[in-house]
Amino acid sequence: GKLRRAVVNVRDSSKLQQVDHIRSVLLALVSHELQTPISIIKAYASTLARADAQWSDDVVREKLGAIEEESDRLSRLVTRLLYTTQLEASAVSLNPMLIDLPKSSQRVAKRLAELDETHELLVSFPADFPPVMGDPEKIDEVLTNLIENAMKFSPGGGTVSVEGTVEGDYVQVTVGDEGIGISEPEQSRVFERFYRASESGAGTVPGTGLGLHICRILIQAHGGRIWVESQPGAGSRFTFTLPI
């Protein structure tokens, strides 16, 4: 019946758990995504350095070409990791100007189509599609990430479409594919850092799980939003908006 005094210190450990989870995912990602190119570079360099072998010029060029290609792959991975950290550490710096989205989409699609012969890329915008204010370089990056994803997760080929519409005070751009799709429970998580859908079979597709995360950061910095609609086995449609 007497009052007893006590001091209770309560700490929310969810942030620490989240950091630990991100750390473990990052380690798994880096060990998996870096190990392959490092192994290839090491193997080809060791082969060329053998003192008991005489390689023809064609073989040397082939091996050096593979080393260069894998080095570029490593560079892209490290650059993307650093870029994501930079975006999250500070506000996104934008250099806004008028953007012609139909022309930008055509340019990006044409560039990517030249690198892939298994997909048909279709770009469709209405004739009166309005210009928007934004950073052309960063919007190009969003378009590149979305189209590359659509092609990567459609291993059987098919059509990749880029469609533009006007909805009130916003323009809407949708990148659709006929690929493996994403299950409903995972659709809300695909924009998380390092997250890669597993149930749909995406785990067999190489990648860092950063592309869509970067897209979300850049689109939100422009005052828009981005989402996905998908069904496993029936393709996906990623849509983002930008204010007119």
Side-chain angles (χ1 to χ4, degrees), residues 101-178:
L101 274 175
K103 284 187 177 180
S104 296
S105 300
Q106 286 279 8
R107 184 179 65 252
V108 173
K110 181 179 179 181
R111 172 169 55 84
L112 295 177
E114 293 174 350
L115 305 175
D116 186 301
E117 297 180 352
T118 61
H119 297 86
E120 181 183 10
L121 269 71
L122 299 178
V123 179
S124 174
F125 284 77
D128 58 349
F129 196 84
V132 296
M133 287 294 292
D135 188 318
E137 182 178 336
K138 291 180 171 58
I139 296 302
D140 275 8
E141 182 168 4
V142 171
L143 290 168
T144 298
N145 282 339
L146 292 179
I147 296 174
E148 280 184 340
N149 258 20
M151 297 165 72
K152 183 164 59 176
F153 291 98
S154 306
T159 299
V160 173
S161 61
V162 184
E163 303 170 358
T165 58
V166 179
E167 301 290 339
D169 296 330
Y170 288 82
V171 297
Q172 204 167 272
V173 178
T174 298
V175 177
D177 63 63
E178 300 173 338

Side-chain angles (χ1 to χ4, degrees), residues 32 39 52 56 60 65 68 70 89 101 112 132 136 139 148 163 176 189 191 212 223 239-240:
H32 179 266
S39 299
D52 61 339
S56 67
V60 170
E68 181 180 20
E70 295 303 321
L101 274 175
L112 295 177
V132 296
I139 296 302
E148 280 184 340
E163 303 170 358
R189 300 195 61 194
F191 297 99
L212 292 176
T239 302
F240 67 87

Side-chain angles (χ1 to χ4, degrees), residues 19-87:
V19 170
D20 287 340
H21 173 69
I22 291 175
R23 183 185 294 115
S24 64
V25 171
L26 176 60
L27 287 174
L29 165 75
V30 169
S31 62
H32 179 266
E33 291 296 325
L34 294 185
Q35 191 60 45
T36 300
I38 288 175
S39 299
I40 294 175
I41 292 171
K42 170 68 174 175
Y44 284 156
S46 298
T47 300
L48 292 176
R50 284 177 53 184
D52 61 339
Q54 296 292 327
W55 306 113
S56 67
D57 290 343
D58 290 340
V59 171
V60 170
R61 277 193 295 269
E62 178 187 351
K63 304 300 183 187
L64 290 177
I67 291 174
E68 181 180 20
E69 182 178 335
E70 295 303 321
S71 298
D72 289 341
R73 181 177 169 185
L74 282 175
S75 178
R76 286 193 299 269
L77 174 58
V78 173
T79 299
R80 177 156 282 192
L81 288 170
L82 293 175
Y83 183 53
T84 305
T85 304
Q86 179 185 5
L87 289 179

